[in-house]
Amino acid sequence: MNKVLSNKKTIAIFILPAFLLYGVFVLIPIIYNIYLSMFQTDLMGKKNFVLFRNYMNLLNDKIFLKALKNNGMLVVGSLLAHLPLALLFGNSIFIKIRGSRFFQSIFFLPSVICGAGVGLLFNMIYNSEFGLLNTFLDLIRLSGLKHAWLSEEKTVMLALIIVVMWKYVGYHMVIQLAAMKSIPDSLFEAARIDGATTWQQFTKITYPLIKHVIKIDVVLIITGSLKYFDLVWTMTKGGPNHASEVMATYMYYQGFRTMKFGYASAIGLVLLVLCMLVIWGVNRLIRTEKLEY
């Protein structure tokens, strides 16, 4: 086996199928997207070469800048909602509270539901006339707090962030819970013998030993927040008055509604660059060391 693994030709043969798939479905589309972003085209007629004009127009596009700001709000809201709650729920289940398996399944369940289905569900919950939320507010005599949640500019982003939190907090909880379960029990047993409290065990053992996974989770949260499409599109389509517009929905609108595929490609490339910058930035800010138990 060692002889096979030391043969570079054999390694290349095994890697080649995966590399071909990666090239066809990732590298080639990215290169074509970069190429297309330098043209003014609807893909049907003649292409007009404009070089970087599409990118310059983005800087003066108020709707795109608003979408960028909304993505930023989703990033901040998702980080503040997902990380603390995922750590809290994950650690609570890890220390084996009663019914932990049941709660693990309940928290994770929303993440397996497709985004479009969740969007349609919360469309009904947030409905201003017969929605469950406003009906509940009436029931507990808080009618003054009722809103047309998805139709008012001041409430729509908050409503979306709550849905995102409900859907994905269980997913991030499972990631962190898996990291916690990889920690040897002997470390906790020794800490308990020394009289360490549950909080001390978390801060001195659990958190430092899952920090490398938290770094990966932060990348997933931020890049996911930059790419939201299905939830936003099914719930608001970017409205009202572009108050919930995000880069993915605006890219779809420019490409498939106004047929400006060059402009849409420029938005897509900006989105890609932002995701790459996030990965680079998180790796620089959160430094982890190789763990040996």
Side-chain angles (χ1 to χ4, degrees), residues 3 19 29 90 101 124 126 162 175 188-189 194 261-262 285:
K3 186 182 291 187
F19 182 76
R101 289 186 179 181
M124 303 294 288
Y126 284 134
I162 291 173
I175 292 174
F188 295 101
E189 290 174 5
D194 289 338
F261 283 97
L285 290 173

Side-chain angles (χ1 to χ4, degrees), residues 30 37 83 102 123 134 150 180 198 209 230 244 248 254 288:
I30 288 174
S37 69
L83 270 184
F102 170 76
N123 259 333
N134 281 348
L150 299 179
M180 293 175 188
T198 302
L209 294 181
D230 48 0
S244 63
Q254 290 293 340
T288 57

Side-chain angles (χ1 to χ4, degrees), residues 128-171:
S128 58
E129 296 180 4
F130 55 82
L132 181 63
L133 180 54
N134 281 348
T135 302
F136 176 72
L137 291 174
D138 276 333
L139 188 65
I140 61 175
R141 302 180 184 277
L142 291 175
S143 301
L145 297 178
K146 290 170 60 177
H147 287 279
W149 299 96
L150 299 179
S151 302
E152 296 181 15
E153 293 185 31
K154 62 182 180 180
T155 60
V156 65
M157 285 305 299
L158 175 62
L160 284 173
I161 290 172
I162 291 173
V163 177
V164 168
M165 180 185 70
W166 178 83
K167 178 170 170 55
Y168 290 108
V169 71
Y171 172 78

